[in-house]
Amino acid sequence: KSGFSLVMNHPACVNEITLSLNNKNARTKALVLELLAAVCLVRGGHDIIMAAFDNFKEVCGEKNRFEKLMEYFRNDDTNIDFMVS
């Protein structure tokens, strides 16, 4: 609980976690999505996640938010752990 509070209160932590979606390891991507889903469940979490994906879009040069994430879902259909998350 205290660790989660530290994550929520750190201005760049969720951004850095979101950028970990660039990791090649499918299990890492699945864990990142689980963490981001947990953040969505707390008050104000949805806004934090949307801002983190706006940052991801900017840093990774996406034209649209969630572009890379949708690419993973379209192209990585062989990894059940990632797809379930």
Side-chain angles (χ1 to χ4, degrees), residues 5-8 10 12 22-23 38 50 53 58 65-66 69 73 78 80 85:
S5 293
L6 289 171
V7 167
M8 294 299 289
H10 191 283
N22 282 323
N23 192 292
M50 295 305 284
F53 273 100
E58 197 71 27
R65 191 187 312 148
F66 306 118
L69 187 60
F73 285 120
T78 60
I80 296 301
S85 292

Side-chain angles (χ1 to χ4, degrees), residues 15-81:
N15 285 347
E16 295 301 322
I17 291 170
T18 305
L19 288 170
S20 294
L21 286 171
N22 282 323
N23 192 292
K24 297 220 183 277
N25 185 291
R27 184 67 185 139
T28 298
K29 290 185 267 192
L31 290 171
V32 167
L33 290 176
E34 288 177 28
L35 285 168
L36 298 178
V39 172
C40 278
L41 296 176
V42 299
R43 181 167 303 204
H46 185 262
D47 292 335
I48 291 169
I49 295 302
M50 295 305 284
F53 273 100
D54 283 338
N55 178 69
F56 185 95
K57 175 184 159 194
E58 197 71 27
V59 169
C60 297
E62 292 181 323
K63 280 174 61 176
N64 301 303
R65 191 187 312 148
F66 306 118
E67 201 171 286
K68 187 129 182 155
L69 187 60
M70 294 310 296
E71 180 183 314
Y72 292 144
F73 285 120
R74 281 192 296 269
N75 298 328
D76 199 10
D77 60 341
T78 60
N79 193 302
I80 296 301
D81 285 341

